[in-house]
Amino acid sequence: MELKRYQERVLGNLRSYIGRYAHYRDARRAYDSLLAADGVVAGKNGVPTYTDELGGIPKVCIKVPTGGGKTFIAANALGAICDGLPERPADVVVWFVPRKEILRQTYRQLSDPANPLRMAIDRDFAHRVEVLDKEDGLRGRGFSRLTVEDQLTVFVLSYDSFKNKEGRKAFQENSSLAPLTAYQRSSGQAVEVDGADDTALISALAGTNPIVVVDESHHAGSDLSLDMIRNLNPRFVLELTATPRKGANVISRVKASELKAEQMVKLPVLVYRRHDKLDVIQDAFLLQRRLEHEARAAEEAGGGYIRPIVLFQAERRGADEAETYGRLKAKLVDAGIPAEQIAIRTGDVDELGDADLMSRACPIRYIITVEALAEGWDCPFAYVLATVANKSSKVSVEQLVGRILRQPYAHRSAARALNISYVLTSSADFNDTIDQVVAGLNGAGFSKRDVAKSRLEPPAPAPAPTAEPLFVGDGPSDGAAENAADDPFEGISFTFADDQDTVPGTAGNAGAPAPESGVAGIIEDAERMEREFEKMSDSGQDLGALGSTGIGGATNEYQMRPQVSEGLADLAIPQFRCRQRAGLFSDEESLPFDRRMLLENFDLAACGTAAVTFDSSGYVGARQVDVSEDSDELKVKQLGDQQAADMRGLFSRYSPESKRNAMRDGLINCMSPVFRNTYGDHGLRVFTERAVSQMDSEQVDAYFDNASAYARAIVNAVQKLAGQHCRAQFDKRLASGSIELEPCYRLPSSLVQVNPLTIYDRTLYAAEDGDMNGLEREMAETLANSASIRWWHRVDEAKKGVEFCINGFINHYPDFLAMTAGGRVLAIETKGEQLKNDDSRDKLNLGSRWAMMAGSRYRYFMVFDHDAIDADGSYTLAEFREILAEME
């Protein structure tokens, strides 16, 4: 098995780091030097500095997405590490894996002389290799002075092997290892391990100063895991993961596009919505059969053997989980699927065992699970993830998406449909499922456009089949009908055509299914996506630079897409600026307009309190109230019962005047320094005292139990008065010409996205902000699917100072910016029906005025779901779509 180009690059990075470490004898300096050679500076532009967790011992990480062959990279790395380190006391490797499934798999692969992993190690160590497990070490089998000095010894262990010293045999006295540990003591190699006998397995391993490989290292970030590694006295630690934890010293990163170009993964993932779980099950069955039919044809044409597998993700149902899984399996069997083709794999039930799923002799085509198939479950034959749950259920697919990505034999099939992964769901919240798929891909190390949403609506429920369904048993009797609702899988039925070849191992005359609208559409989508990928691969797009570390910039920084970036460097979007004289003898200058300029002559002390409305009827209990540091929003904290009782008793004994003074001071003190500095302590005190003085005695007595409501009333009133003042002042300054609109805002070339969204077309950046509500999602889909749109961008208000803002009498961040094919720039604000308030009208007023002043190239839209405000610039979503369709 030859190394892929990116694997060669990763190993080159590793060798380079080891060479620098051997030269400097300093792990941190070697890390800085490696990155500097690639034009990257540790500590700048999102690249972290080296984290020294082992007192100077090198501990570095390689980031490879799921399906990229991390284990194969590690096997090829052992020779480079042993040869390159400045000292070589013994060739001992401790290879950690997170779980027993991966433990069995890795041990089997490394022990098999015909396996590519073992062949790579044998090549580098002249076939002088011994692979051991924990039991071998405890019994001293293959682990002695002679074997350590004469060969490479690889221990394959789980993360839990040396944790929790009490009760762990690895820390106990071990006569089988006494000769080895005695030699280590006499030669000065012995290391004292806290809590361990000097003949214990952990002590013997520590005396060899081993190399440590940590597979799926994001699971080994706890203090216990770090202590375990320290106890081993390593001379080098190599971590491998798709998602490095914070503090990992990443020296090489692999892009998802490199895996796609090297035919390692089945991408993109196509996600489809079905009517209900029965449609999901039946379509998954039909899709499996269609894929297997395609696989047989591809094999006959010279391809490898492939038996597509469906992962049914069942819904958790508490104590009766096993019964639920068993019921689904029984229904599938009743419907005609042979029992040997179905296996349950959950936390409590493991019908997979050590089955070799890629063997031609293995019959398994369907696996029922929840989330038990996590990292390391390695079967490239898994193609379809079908969520079998009620529409309203929350079933996370995030942890399972990575299990259907690996490409069989690391080679694209001649059957295009076999180069794609599939997700079927009946979830009512389809966007949530999409988000989970994307999150799952991100968790597997993918962050590009590796998921595609179905453009097909679920097919209408099919009429009763004309062919005989493979459904065993009669339908429910009248008595059984009462219990039908209790059976989540009642009604499963599969229909087959009579004129197709039979797929081996299936029941009846069940060949590849006749063309069915849903499955046929899935296959058509898959083939179309595969053709598009092939074009991208042939053109060499985004394959990464060989010889580079792949590190640079923040990992969540997304560039402007080159397909739409042409000419945008010259685009300057108008914003308001203020003209004023800089000094006595200076010329007039233009400054960015800031709303706070309008508050300079705002006198709160002169304002009336009619806008303050105290409501003492809504008792909510005593609260401590505060206003956050960066906004006018109140923070509310519940008082304890005794504290509240003491305060209430104290307040009740005050005189009427003292009560009002206490209220005034209490409300003022709950306001943040930012709020007080904005409106002035004097003005707030006068305004609050005037408002409190107008309260009746009942409202005063109810103050303590309604403090948060009263504080909110003050804040709301001040904000309303300030808003009215700012709007009036803004209009005056526009009329006088001291505020003008000038082209000055330029779109940044890249943005950091905390919630990256990569599933839509026509985006401005490689990822947009994914924190959207339902209407915002609909707008994103509308823009993404409109031929009139060249690009669109989701504006994230949290990125103040970076994102575009209409900076008028309010600071208005429209939800979207977009450019039409004809070059017109659109600012779009979406509003739910419940948000038809003064804020919406202020935004509409400002946005419309901005567009009018900016010129014909600019338009502003406020879009409501169904019912728009009766004003220019306000539209329903349907009206907006009509307007968009007519644009250039």
Side-chain angles (χ1 to χ4, degrees), residues 264-331:
M264 296 291 287
V265 287
K266 305 191 294 279
L267 287 175
V269 178
L270 299 185
V271 188
Y272 294 87
R273 175 167 51 188
R274 288 308 185 239
H275 283 291
D276 53 37
K277 58 179 176 290
L278 297 184
D279 283 344
V280 167
I281 294 171
Q282 292 171 170
D283 280 1
F285 174 82
L286 292 170
L287 181 57
Q288 189 281 333
R289 296 175 64 77
R290 176 66 179 269
L291 292 175
E292 188 161 356
H293 181 76
E294 298 280 340
R296 288 183 62 214
E299 184 181 6
E300 290 172 359
Y305 168 72
I306 296 177
R307 184 185 66 261
I309 293 175
V310 174
L311 304 183
F312 282 120
Q313 184 186 23
E315 183 177 357
R316 291 190 181 277
R317 289 188 176 271
D320 65 342
E321 285 180 0
E323 181 184 352
T324 300
Y325 309 141
R327 189 182 305 164
L328 173 56
K329 181 175 181 178
K331 289 294 183 182

Side-chain angles (χ1 to χ4, degrees), residues 608-614 687 691-692 694-695 710 713-718 721:
T609 58
V612 181
T613 303
F614 293 116
F687 182 82
V692 169
Q694 296 173 357
M695 298 173 69
Y710 289 177
I714 295 289
V715 170
N716 288 345
V718 171
L721 291 168

Side-chain angles (χ1 to χ4, degrees), residues 389-441:
N390 294 322
K391 285 188 175 183
S392 58
S393 299
K394 285 285 185 180
V395 177
S396 174
V397 302
E398 180 176 338
Q399 300 302 317
L400 284 177
V401 171
R403 309 284 62 83
I404 60 174
L405 297 181
R406 297 178 189 271
Q407 181 75 273
Y409 312 112
H411 186 76
R412 253 189 2 253
S413 173
R416 295 187 182 278
L418 294 175
N419 301 321
I420 301 291
S421 303
Y422 306 85
V423 175
L424 304 180
T425 178
S426 62
S427 172
D429 193 341
F430 191 41
N431 285 329
D432 179 67
T433 300
I434 295 288
D435 289 343
Q436 289 187 39
V437 171
V438 173
L441 288 172

Side-chain angles (χ1 to χ4, degrees), residues 671-751:
M671 299 173 188
S672 73
V674 173
F675 189 83
R676 279 185 277 181
N677 288 340
T678 300
Y679 297 106
D681 271 326
H682 171 71
L684 281 172
R685 180 169 292 276
V686 173
F687 182 82
T688 303
E689 184 173 20
R690 186 181 302 124
V692 169
S693 68
Q694 296 173 357
M695 298 173 69
D696 59 37
S697 58
E698 182 179 344
Q699 290 173 322
V700 171
D701 290 338
Y703 159 71
F704 189 81
D705 290 324
N706 291 275
S708 62
Y710 289 177
R712 169 67 68 185
I714 295 289
V715 170
N716 288 345
V718 171
Q719 291 175 328
K720 183 176 181 179
L721 291 168
Q724 293 170 349
H725 171 84
C726 288
R727 182 167 176 173
Q729 289 294 311
F730 186 75
D731 290 344
K732 289 181 181 179
R733 296 197 185 189
L734 278 179
S736 69
S738 62
I739 295 178
E740 294 182 346
L741 202 62
E742 297 180 9
C744 54
Y745 175 81
R746 298 186 183 276
L747 294 160
S749 61
S750 65
L751 285 175

Side-chain angles (χ1 to χ4, degrees), residues 89-333:
D91 289 338
V92 176
V93 173
V94 177
W95 190 308
F96 281 119
V97 297
R99 279 179 306 280
K100 63 181 182 180
E101 295 92 347
I102 308 178
L103 180 68
R104 290 195 298 259
Q105 174 182 292
T106 304
Y107 181 80
R108 182 172 64 243
Q109 291 173 332
L110 296 181
S111 300
D112 180 4
N115 188 279
L117 275 68
R118 177 59 180 267
M119 292 170 67
I121 299 174
D122 282 341
R123 177 202 62 211
D124 291 338
F125 291 88
H127 294 270
R128 300 161 69 98
V129 179
E130 187 76 35
V131 179
L132 308 174
D133 61 13
K134 184 177 179 180
E135 286 303 313
D136 292 329
L138 290 172
R139 299 190 181 195
R141 291 193 301 247
F143 190 37
S144 66
R145 173 187 173 183
L146 291 178
T147 59
V148 166
E149 293 180 344
D150 191 52
Q151 65 186 20
L152 172 71
T153 304
V154 181
F155 276 91
V156 183
L157 305 170
S158 70
Y159 287 176
D160 294 331
S161 296
F162 302 132
K163 291 182 183 179
N164 302 325
K165 299 166 190 173
E166 291 74 22
R168 298 286 182 180
K169 292 182 180 180
F171 284 80
Q172 297 174 359
E173 178 184 1
N174 191 326
S175 60
S176 299
L177 297 174
L180 173 59
T181 55
Y183 170 75
Q184 289 174 341
R185 287 193 297 273
S186 65
S187 61
Q189 300 175 24
V191 175
E192 183 177 344
V193 178
D194 184 32
D197 187 84
D198 59 9
T199 65
L201 175 58
I202 183 72
S203 301
L205 283 171
T208 66
N209 196 204
I211 294 163
V212 175
V213 174
V214 187
D215 194 10
E216 305 292 356
S217 60
H218 55 283
H219 289 299
S222 67
D223 291 340
L224 278 176
S225 297
L226 192 57
D227 288 343
M228 174 186 66
I229 293 174
R230 289 194 185 104
N231 285 336
L232 285 170
N233 180 39
R235 70 178 185 274
F236 191 92
V237 178
L238 176 65
E239 299 182 326
L240 300 106
T241 180
T243 52
R245 62 183 178 84
K246 184 177 181 180
N249 302 310
V250 179
I251 61 169
S252 191
R253 296 180 185 271
V254 176
K255 292 182 178 181
S257 55
E258 293 179 271
L259 266 63
K260 292 167 70 173
E262 294 284 5
Q263 306 179 29
M264 296 291 287
V265 287
K266 305 191 294 279
L267 287 175
V269 178
L270 299 185
V271 188
Y272 294 87
R273 175 167 51 188
R274 288 308 185 239
H275 283 291
D276 53 37
K277 58 179 176 290
L278 297 184
D279 283 344
V280 167
I281 294 171
Q282 292 171 170
D283 280 1
F285 174 82
L286 292 170
L287 181 57
Q288 189 281 333
R289 296 175 64 77
R290 176 66 179 269
L291 292 175
E292 188 161 356
H293 181 76
E294 298 280 340
R296 288 183 62 214
E299 184 181 6
E300 290 172 359
Y305 168 72
I306 296 177
R307 184 185 66 261
I309 293 175
V310 174
L311 304 183
F312 282 120
Q313 184 186 23
E315 183 177 357
R316 291 190 181 277
R317 289 188 176 271
D320 65 342
E321 285 180 0
E323 181 184 352
T324 300
Y325 309 141
R327 189 182 305 164
L328 173 56
K329 181 175 181 178
K331 289 294 183 182
L332 294 175
V333 171

